[in-house]
Amino acid sequence: MNTLALGPQWLDPDYLIATFGLIGVLVIVFAESGLLIGFFLPGDSLLFTTGLLVTTNKLDRPLWMVCSLIVLAAVLGDQAGYLFGRKVGPSLFKRPDSRLFKQENVEKAHEFFEKHGPKSLILARFVPIVRTFTPIIAGVSRMNYRSFITFNLIGGALWGAGVTLLGASLGKVEFVHKHIELILVAIVLISVVPIAIEYLRARSKKKTEAPAPGTDRDGAPAEPARRGRHAKR
């Protein structure tokens, strides 16, 4: 199956599966679900492609086994992220930016977690980047562990098995085989939509909160600058 390259070859789902097989898929799912370095890895498109290859017998593993292992990798990934968050604590918010770490990503995940509460562990599964940092933020916030496990299991099952089964189901459709490149592009675009919406919303909020020219932050007229004592009158 030839797919359209959505970036470097080593990020192409078809290339990754052909090169590393099911083990590679599980490692990537684990890393993207809770390791700081995993936020750039393909998630949704990788699971969709995995399901498609299983149903077309290009990945010689039972579908139930593939789904079960993917869910397990996703749940363990979030578990690792949660424990990491509990260990590093608030110091995570003081960590300087680097090539693989941006403080902006942590802040976005924190806002997402604060807005949606425990259910963010389910919702974040379907939002790239956010799904990597949300379990870490849950650990930093010292979320009740029993609640974390519950929502982690639900989110891991819905995302891990759900997207894989979607790929397996659509893999039987001839149209999907003929237009797999467009399908994968659509999946990537759809997964990015929530991020774009949040970005535009935050940008609009900043514009709304910005003081008008000639006023202070509270909207009151700004006081003119006082002249120096020796200024000419």
Side-chain angles (χ1 to χ4, degrees):
M1 180 180 67
N2 296 319
T3 58
L4 181 66
L6 303 177
Q9 185 183 34
W10 53 274
L11 286 180
D12 178 63
D14 191 44
Y15 170 79
L16 290 170
I17 298 172
T19 304
F20 303 105
L22 181 58
I23 297 298
V25 173
L26 299 179
V27 171
I28 290 174
V29 169
F30 176 86
E32 198 196 10
S33 295
L35 301 185
L36 286 176
I37 61 172
F39 69 92
F40 63 89
L41 296 171
D44 305 307
S45 58
L46 179 68
L47 297 187
F48 184 90
T49 303
T50 299
L52 190 150
L53 292 177
V54 170
T55 198
T56 54
N57 297 319
K58 293 183 179 180
L59 186 59
D60 189 21
R61 293 290 186 279
L63 182 59
W64 67 266
M65 177 187 293
V66 172
C67 289
S68 299
L69 291 175
I70 288 176
V71 170
L72 179 62
V75 170
L76 292 178
D78 263 27
Q79 175 72 22
Y82 177 84
L83 294 176
F84 175 78
R86 285 186 67 98
K87 183 176 181 179
V88 300
S91 62
L92 180 66
F93 292 90
K94 301 177 183 178
R95 181 171 177 171
D97 286 351
S98 64
R99 182 175 297 181
L100 294 178
F101 178 84
K102 298 296 181 183
Q103 191 61 237
E104 180 184 2
N105 294 332
V106 178
E107 294 171 357
K108 286 180 179 179
H110 183 260
E111 292 175 1
F112 193 87
F113 184 79
E114 290 294 321
K115 180 179 180 180
H116 299 287
K119 66 181 180 181
S120 62
L121 291 167
I122 299 176
L123 300 176
R125 287 287 189 180
F126 300 90
V127 184
I129 300 179
V130 175
R131 68 167 152 256
T132 301
F133 290 91
T134 297
I136 299 174
I137 298 300
V140 172
S141 304
R142 295 192 173 273
M143 176 182 175
N144 178 272
Y145 187 67
R146 182 174 296 181
S147 296
F148 171 80
I149 287 293
T150 300
F151 287 98
N152 182 18
L153 289 171
I154 296 173
L158 290 177
W159 178 67
V163 179
T164 305
L165 289 173
L166 178 64
S169 299
L170 295 181
K172 301 175 182 179
V173 180
E174 186 65 24
F175 175 85
V176 175
H177 281 285
K178 291 182 178 180
H179 303 86
I180 183 61
E181 298 91 350
L182 296 178
I183 297 295
L184 292 178
V185 170
I187 291 175
V188 173
L189 292 177
I190 291 173
S191 64
V192 171
V193 166
I195 297 179
I197 293 176
E198 287 297 325
Y199 171 78
L200 294 175
R201 186 177 298 171
R203 188 174 180 181
S204 176
K205 185 178 180 181
K206 287 183 179 180
K207 288 184 177 180
T208 303
E209 294 177 350
T215 63
D216 58 20
R217 292 183 178 181
D218 297 323
E223 295 183 3
R226 296 181 178 179
R227 295 183 179 180
R229 293 177 60 185
H230 303 288
K232 294 182 180 181
R233 296 183 180 179

